[in-house]
Amino acid sequence: MHNEIDLNKIDLNSEPPTEEPARQYYFMAKCREWVREFERKNGRRPFAFTQTFGCQMNARDSEKLEGVLSMIGFAKADNEEADLVLYNTCTVREHANLKVYGRLGYLKTLKKKNPDMLIALCGCMMQEETVVEKIKKSYRFVDLVFGTHNLYKFAELLYHRFSSGKITIDIWKDTEKIVEELPTDRKYSFKSGVNIMFGCNNFCSYCIVPYVRGRERSREPEQIINEIRSLVESGVSEIMLLGQNVNSYGKTLKNPITFAELLLEVEKIEGLKRIRFMTSHPKDLSDELIQVMKTSKKICHQLHLPVQSGSSRILKEMNRKYTKESYLSLVHKIREAIPDISLTTDIIVGFPGETKEDFAETLDVVRKVRFDSAFTFLYSKRTGTPAATMNNQVPEQIAKERFDRLLKEVQEIASEQIQRFEGQTLEVLAEEKNEQLDGYLTGRLSHGIVVHFQGEEELIGKIIPVKLTQAKGFYYMGCKAVGD
Ligand code: 5AD
Ligand code: SF4
């Protein structure tokens, strides 16, 4: 829809519309006047730099924010020496927060050189009251702060900052609202993330996400299908359905549908070649979904299934609602249905109360499942979560030792696992030029595994057969099988 909207046709002398997304287009047109004024004064377009921290959800949100910026008339900067710097923040682990504070220190020095520079912060970290208080007190050079629930209001908030000249802060605690049909500026022309739901209701005891992303809300299936259709029309062949827990998709809709049913509808979209999704919660992964994955021609043979811990006792403390045994039997069921599936996971080390026996259970699961890859995390205490007040926190040194042991194990297994396709010819979506190897491209198998192979840039965005000649730890070297 946004492609059809002409900002020039919006009457800026009228009152702003109360309906969304019309209201935001009105403010985009207003902001564009500001941009034009900037151009008159400076003889150039203003530059905006966006930096995304955290997960795929945030990456998708940033595409929406960049869509607004480019509609308004900002040019893209490739570093922070810009007229507007926007950080889309993450707060899932403390390290993510510290990174943002570090970067803010750097922005302060830039702003001294260019006092007209605007600094905007948004995303999960801004949903924490203590963070906003700290910004107000110690980072007074920040111009605009907003959160996850009102991201769609970016244009309106930016205009407020332009017109008031004052720091603009707008944070909502939660929302029921999903605003559709706003512009997006996609990073890739041939693949795209598609939100199917927002928020999370699981309250894993270590996790801050339910507090900063709010309650679970699913998008209407028609909206999702329409979005994918128009993405495909514009050249997209791979989509990634995004949600904190896609397996509970649709439960809160007026006319509930299951995630598996949604996938069946997505599968029907002509021209769409690959379907991925993340993240799956093991407790909600249904037999129906496994069957749909098994019979689908488009769903990729990759499943991200965070286990978090191998100890049933710790899993209970984490409020994960499955046990080591039920996780293992789920994996067994999935592998029986789709034998070549690539399984990846997330694991937390050093959760409060984790003993060496609990950790041994985690290692045991890793050895039994043999993940294709695993993201391993040191437990990070997040204020406001139940785990933060558990009184048997694991000493840092012990957690680090366990982390190193786990990482070694995970990497060894992953490098053995990856060899299973060596010598085969499989389809690869060519994604980008390889920056290290001249004349090479980098792409991905359906299994999510990276492949480097010789090829011309014109192949980018196409799915082509590639012979996997050599497995190298966590990726493949291959050669184009076309004409073989
Ligand atoms: N500490 C460490 N890791 C965490 N994760 C979420 N919260 C925490 C935390 N407090 C990890 C989980 C989740 C991934 C996205 O981040 O493994 O699956
Ligand atoms: Fe966090 Fe658990 Fe929700 Fe994932 S499912 S976002 S780990 S609370």
Side-chain angles (χ1 to χ4, degrees), residues 200-204 206-210 244-245 281 308 320:
C200 180
N201 284 353
N202 291 308
F203 291 95
C204 300
Y206 51 82
C207 187
I208 201 164
V209 168
Q244 303 295 349
N245 176 12
H281 195 307
Q308 312 297 3
R320 291 289 289 177

Side-chain angles (χ1 to χ4, degrees), residues 383-401:
T383 309
T385 63
T389 50
M390 293 182 182
N391 52 18
N392 40 5
Q393 307 277 326
V394 176
E396 207 180 308
Q397 192 50 37
I398 294 181
K400 274 206 175 121
E401 276 164 24

Side-chain angles (χ1 to χ4, degrees), residues 120-139:
L121 302 175
C122 66
C124 294
M125 198 175 145
M126 300 306 127
Q127 290 296 139
E128 290 184 89
E129 263 171 50
T130 48
V131 169
V132 176
E133 284 312 308
K134 188 166 168 166
I135 288 166
K136 281 203 267 192
K137 211 168 128 224
S138 314
Y139 298 86

Side-chain angles (χ1 to χ4, degrees), residues 47-50 69 74 82-86 117-120 154 158:
F47 279 93
F49 175 72
T50 310
L69 286 171
F74 274 87
D83 303 294
L84 170 71
V85 173
L86 172 64
M117 171 185 182
L118 291 173
I119 299 172
F154 180 41
L158 196 57

Side-chain angles (χ1 to χ4, degrees), residues 55 91-94 204-209 244 278-279 304 306-308 318 320 345-349 351 375-382 385 387:
C55 67
T91 187
V92 78
R93 286 168 291 275
E94 197 190 2
C204 300
S205 64
Y206 51 82
C207 187
I208 201 164
V209 168
Q244 303 295 349
M278 77 184 300
T279 295
H304 187 63
V307 64
Q308 312 297 3
M318 286 177 161
R320 291 289 289 177
T345 201
D346 292 342
I347 305 170
I348 298 176
V349 177
F351 181 83
F375 297 98
T376 50
F377 305 107
L378 265 178
Y379 167 72
S380 171
K381 189 171 166 177
R382 308 312 292 130
T385 63

Side-chain angles (χ1 to χ4, degrees), residues 123-332:
C124 294
M125 198 175 145
M126 300 306 127
Q127 290 296 139
E128 290 184 89
E129 263 171 50
T130 48
V131 169
V132 176
E133 284 312 308
K134 188 166 168 166
I135 288 166
K136 281 203 267 192
K137 211 168 128 224
S138 314
Y139 298 86
R140 300 170 67 117
F141 52 91
V142 170
D143 297 282
L144 172 59
V145 179
F146 57 103
T148 54
H149 304 302
N150 55 351
L151 183 124
Y152 74 88
K153 268 182 73 184
F154 180 41
E156 182 170 351
L157 296 171
L158 196 57
Y159 180 69
H160 184 271
R161 172 62 188 80
F162 288 154
S163 56
S164 71
K166 290 199 192 109
I167 179 164
T168 299
I169 299 180
D170 190 18
I171 308 288
W172 298 359
K173 278 209 169 358
D174 204 349
T175 185
E176 298 275 299
K177 220 170 170 151
I178 298 177
V179 177
E180 300 280 355
E181 309 285 0
L182 283 165
T184 50
D185 197 358
R186 284 186 284 112
K187 191 165 168 215
Y188 297 96
S189 59
F190 51 87
K191 67 170 186 176
S192 177
V194 174
N195 297 108
I196 63 165
M197 60 202 298
F198 303 93
C200 180
N201 284 353
N202 291 308
F203 291 95
C204 300
S205 64
Y206 51 82
C207 187
I208 201 164
V209 168
Y211 305 91
V212 295
R213 288 259 168 194
R215 294 294 59 71
E216 194 175 290
R217 285 149 286 145
S218 293
R219 279 178 79 193
E220 291 294 338
E222 296 76 28
Q223 297 279 6
I224 297 169
I225 301 294
N226 286 344
E227 179 178 344
I228 301 173
R229 277 215 188 96
S230 79
L231 285 169
V232 171
E233 269 166 32
S234 68
V236 165
S237 51
E238 176 179 305
I239 52 142
M240 165 83 90
L241 304 174
L242 295 171
Q244 303 295 349
N245 176 12
V246 291
N247 301 110
S248 74
Y249 169 78
K251 287 184 183 157
T252 52
L253 289 171
K254 247 194 236 126
N255 301 312
I257 83 162
T258 64
F259 180 53
E261 286 166 341
L262 176 72
L263 282 172
L264 287 175
E265 290 307 307
V266 176
E267 173 102 14
K268 288 184 201 152
I269 298 175
E270 234 171 277
L272 179 66
K273 304 245 169 60
R274 283 181 166 185
I275 304 167
R276 298 186 189 278
F277 52 84
M278 77 184 300
T279 295
S280 287
H281 195 307
K283 80 176 164 67
D284 295 314
L285 201 143
S286 64
D287 291 351
E288 185 198 10
L289 175 64
I290 297 174
Q291 274 317 303
V292 169
M293 287 182 76
K294 183 181 168 161
T295 49
S296 166
K297 301 254 178 316
K298 298 184 179 174
I299 299 174
C300 289
H301 285 198
Q302 174 188 24
L303 188 65
H304 187 63
L305 197 62
V307 64
Q308 312 297 3
S309 168
S311 152
S312 295
R313 194 184 66 83
I314 293 290
L315 286 169
K316 191 156 197 295
E317 293 290 308
M318 286 177 161
N319 193 29
R320 291 289 289 177
K321 303 201 169 75
Y322 54 86
T323 61
K324 175 186 181 186
E325 291 68 34
S326 67
Y327 184 90
L328 289 175
S329 72
L330 179 61
V331 165
H332 181 71

